[in-house]
Amino acid sequence: MESALSVEHVSVSLGGEWILHDISFEVRRGEMVSIIGPNGAGKSTLMKVLLGVLQPSRGRITVHLPPAAKNRSRSIGYVPQSRQMDVDTSLRAWDFVSFGLPHTLRPWLNRKERSRVREALELTRCEELANQAISRLSGGQRQRLYLAQALVRNPDLLLLDEPTSNLDPGGQEMVVELVNQIRQERGTTVLLVTHDMHIAAKYSDRILYLTRGRYAIGRVEDIVRPDVLTTLYGAPMTGIHEETHTTAVPSRTSSMPYLEV
């Protein structure tokens, strides 16, 4: 399958400390890869590198654009972990989504741009919210609008940095299910940062498991194994599978604390 993204020997040092060290992997076009791991493992740092906001200390990132794509920035959609929202803002959902369009010097939208906003709202099931003030919407409704704003330019690569962190389990499932449907319909490549192994296992083709200084990528059943977890954490570990999540725990010979992913 054709590659959508190549990460080659990427390392990132911040404040004299290595956050990411010699990471290499490829993501295939149309694939969903979940990025999981403990806090401080470098998940959000990796997202910043992929976006081009942060330059790697070493290595190279290559986004393989399709022939019709004009430039990298217009081919990547991004939904951050959280956003500050003024409770008094009267900004309409329609206008918020339109801000995701490629920059134009015109103070109005042309027919094609209005069509894109309408389509993004429909894709994320937000048509009925178009004229409502975004400050008055629920957390789940806002998350769908953030996704709509990322989709309005029809990106080839969609980067999601814990987009469901402030939602209840039902809301989390709804948002990721929606992302998966859009991926299947459009062939969009998706990288999803999440702490929820249940969601990662259910929707992802593969997972990228990061710990500080180490990583592994593969299918869930290939990663959540005692030998792989022991290598990742640098101490004897095992995996406990439960109905809704998988937990990496130390073996009796290890003094490391529990870590839920």
Side-chain angles (χ1 to χ4, degrees), residues 27-54:
V27 180
R28 296 180 287 272
R29 195 168 301 284
E31 185 178 27
M32 181 185 286
V33 174
S34 286
I35 304 172
I36 63 174
N39 291 333
K43 301 184 297 294
S44 291
T45 298
L46 177 59
M47 279 286 179
K48 291 176 182 177
V49 173
L50 296 178
L51 284 166
V53 174
L54 181 65

Side-chain angles (χ1 to χ4, degrees), residues 111-152:
R111 181 180 299 178
K112 183 178 180 181
E113 291 166 337
R114 291 196 301 273
S115 177
R116 284 191 174 186
V117 174
R118 191 175 300 109
E119 181 183 11
L121 288 168
E122 290 173 354
L123 276 171
T124 54
R125 304 169 192 167
C126 294
E127 309 98 305
E128 74 283 359
L129 306 177
N131 292 311
Q132 296 189 37
I134 191 171
S135 60
R136 298 179 180 273
L137 301 179
S138 69
Q141 290 171 327
R142 288 184 188 176
Q143 286 304 126
R144 284 187 282 140
L145 284 173
Y146 298 157
L147 179 59
Q149 189 187 72
L151 292 170
V152 73

Side-chain angles (χ1 to χ4, degrees), residues 17-18 31 35 39 100 126 129 136 161 192 200 237 240 260:
E17 183 178 5
W18 290 104
E31 185 178 27
I35 304 172
N39 291 333
C126 294
L129 306 177
R136 298 179 180 273
D161 190 356
L192 167 68
M237 304 289 286
I240 297 178
E260 285 199 11

Side-chain angles (χ1 to χ4, degrees), residues 49-212:
V49 173
L50 296 178
L51 284 166
V53 174
L54 181 65
Q55 293 301 311
S57 306
R58 301 172 185 166
R60 182 173 64 178
I61 304 286
T62 305
V63 178
H64 302 283
L65 301 178
K70 294 182 179 180
N71 60 59
R72 170 174 166 164
S73 64
R74 295 191 180 191
S75 296
I76 298 177
Y78 173 59
V79 179
Q81 182 174 351
S82 61
R83 289 181 175 177
Q84 295 295 325
M85 186 63 62
D86 186 346
V87 295
D88 296 322
T89 184
S90 58
L91 180 68
R92 293 188 312 157
W94 172 282
D95 298 319
F96 178 80
V97 172
S98 73
F99 292 161
L101 289 165
H103 177 70
T104 65
L105 298 178
R106 289 176 285 98
W108 65 87
L109 302 182
N110 61 32
R111 181 180 299 178
K112 183 178 180 181
E113 291 166 337
R114 291 196 301 273
S115 177
R116 284 191 174 186
V117 174
R118 191 175 300 109
E119 181 183 11
L121 288 168
E122 290 173 354
L123 276 171
T124 54
R125 304 169 192 167
C126 294
E127 309 98 305
E128 74 283 359
L129 306 177
N131 292 311
Q132 296 189 37
I134 191 171
S135 60
R136 298 179 180 273
L137 301 179
S138 69
Q141 290 171 327
R142 288 184 188 176
Q143 286 304 126
R144 284 187 282 140
L145 284 173
Y146 298 157
L147 179 59
Q149 189 187 72
L151 292 170
V152 73
R153 61 179 63 196
N154 194 19
D156 299 293
L157 176 62
L158 185 60
L159 305 179
L160 309 173
D161 190 356
E162 296 192 51
T164 63
S165 58
N166 297 319
L167 302 180
D168 60 36
Q172 294 176 15
E173 187 88 13
M174 181 189 69
V175 170
V176 179
E177 169 67 27
L178 182 58
V179 169
N180 191 50
Q181 289 179 5
I182 293 169
R183 172 180 74 107
Q184 293 174 340
E185 292 172 4
R186 290 190 163 193
T188 308
T189 305
V190 179
L191 268 71
L192 167 68
V193 174
T194 180
H195 278 93
D196 193 321
M197 179 65 85
H198 168 69
I199 283 178
K202 183 175 180 179
Y203 294 102
S204 302
D205 298 295
R206 291 183 298 157
I207 62 171
L208 171 63
Y209 201 128
L210 289 177
T211 62
R212 186 61 67 89

